[in-house]
Amino acid sequence: MPKLAELFDVSAARRIDAQASATLGDGGSALMAQAGHAAWQCLLEQWPQAQRICVVVGAGNNGGDGYVLARLARLAGREVQVLRLGTDMTSPPLARAAQQAWRDAGGQVAVFAGALPLADVIVDALYGLGLNRAPADPAVALIESINAAGVPVLALDVPSGVDANTGNVAGSAVRASVTLQFIVCHQGLYTGAALEHVGARRLAPLHLPDGADAGVRPSAVPWQKARLAAQLPARRANTHKGESGHVLCVGGNHGSGGAVMLASEAALRTGAGLVSVATQPAHVTPLLARLPEAMVHAVADAQDLQALVSRARVIAIGPGLGQDDWAHELWRQVLASGRPLVIDADALNLLAQAPVALDDAILTPHPGEAARLLGLSTAQIQSDRYAAAQTLAERFQAVVVLKGAGTVVAAPDQLPRVIVAGNPGMAVGGMGDLLTGIIAALRAQGLNAFDAASSGALLHALAGDAAAGEGQRGLLPTDLLVPLRRLVNPEPRTE
């Protein structure tokens, strides 16, 4: 059966469901019964005192799951009201059977007339996996009423209005307190706008017959804290700084010295053995005052940079680089170096102006930079973050870290990884510079580009979560440096 630590697209989820139903030979009724029972158990666990339950159902099988839950709740003595839209829609046989079982048990189905009944919990069984567009007008008022009710919401499989493939929200969408996914985890619920709607994610894998997942492959991998121990083994007792890698950070044009400073300090805190900095002469003194452990060099032109490039194992370029002649000259020198690169900020903008395929490089764009690299709008990037990251990876033959809520890390011929950590407090200038240094340090310590990018983004997000313990507003990039050091030294796994 599918591993729980994997994500699937809608077609895969539907194929597993269909293959399981064919093997069971019951048209899917056993799976629907399991799903409805799992949903009722989830509601009981989350809100055991709830007495009044409103179940909002659609015409499809997601609505059928809702009818099963409603019947079980009524049998348990709860006050249950089922609402549907007034639109005349034909239901599939399975959903019709579930509705009839609800009616046979004494339940009624009311048509939504603009207001919801008083309830302790609302169950969203309106659309499920079936929607990949904005809800039609009749559903919008119902969804907005759910969101305005001020009570907990349990979404079955997917909050209605959220695209389970992409995480996009094209119009109105339910804001769930808990989303209970059935059989597999859906990739769209881990990135982008979906994160505003899913609440706490839960999974009911159900009991499926052997072979139900035959020929089905996952579409993405959630990258979580448990991954770090394998990615960051303990160092040898007889080691030296050279084994931990030499990172060269290039950037800090006039007025932007703080950016390259943040990247450099993050590289050191992540364990790089040596960090050199190539920056404008005016920034040498303040950078040394802040970070005496770095080797800071005044670089007036590419000739000054040449000797530094030859000694570095990894080059991080972009933080505070700018786009003037100085920036262009250093960018060309770094591109020609043949070294593994981590490319961020203005270096990405320079790459967008003159695109070239890259070898052994890591790109770290935010959605606006990704849009410039692909000649699209930011909205287009955000509408399908998985596709955007993979397209960038293929076009530039590089690893890509598409930053934002639910950061996506993509590489040619690899399943994308999505970072399951981070918080809105990290939306502040300088956070990306910190990430650049973290990734460069991991790359310099021997991780391949894909693992360095994935684990670097995860470390960055986890450090942000740790630092946000005192509140998200006012969180600064430098607040991440203390928890970062702790996180980059994970406890070894004992199992």
Side-chain angles (χ1 to χ4, degrees), residues 228-270:
L228 291 179
Q231 295 282 308
L232 302 168
R235 290 180 171 178
R236 297 187 313 110
N238 182 28
T239 191
H240 57 85
K241 61 189 177 186
E243 287 188 353
S244 299
H246 186 169
V247 173
L248 171 62
C249 296
V250 181
N253 209 331
H254 296 296
S256 299
V260 76
M261 185 183 298
L262 286 169
S264 304
E265 188 164 3
L268 284 164
R269 285 296 186 189
T270 309

Side-chain angles (χ1 to χ4, degrees), residues 50-137:
Q51 295 297 316
R52 300 170 300 178
I53 300 169
C54 174
V55 183
V56 177
V57 298
N61 287 338
N62 190 250
D65 298 336
Y67 283 117
V68 175
L69 179 152
R71 180 169 52 81
L72 293 171
R74 190 172 189 277
L75 288 173
R78 303 305 198 268
E79 178 185 331
V80 184
Q81 297 190 59
V82 174
L83 289 184
R84 67 173 179 86
L85 287 172
T87 51
D88 186 17
M89 298 178 65
T90 302
S91 296
L94 199 58
R96 290 202 304 272
Q99 183 189 73
Q100 189 59 50
W102 161 248
R103 291 184 184 277
D104 291 345
Q108 297 181 340
V109 181
V111 174
F112 174 67
L116 296 176
L118 292 177
D120 300 316
V121 177
I122 298 171
V123 177
D124 167 25
L126 188 58
Y127 286 123
L129 293 178
L131 195 71
N132 58 6
R133 52 175 172 76
D137 286 343

Side-chain angles (χ1 to χ4, degrees), residues 141-163:
L142 177 52
I143 290 172
E144 295 304 326
S145 293
I146 293 172
N147 291 340
V151 299
V153 177
L154 172 63
L156 303 190
D157 226 7
V158 180
S160 293
V162 174
D163 189 317

Side-chain angles (χ1 to χ4, degrees), residues 265 268-269 273-275 287-288 290-295:
E265 188 164 3
L268 284 164
R269 285 296 186 189
L274 295 165
V275 172
L287 211 156
L288 283 173
R290 164 77 187 188
L291 194 62
E293 298 88 351
M295 297 176 287

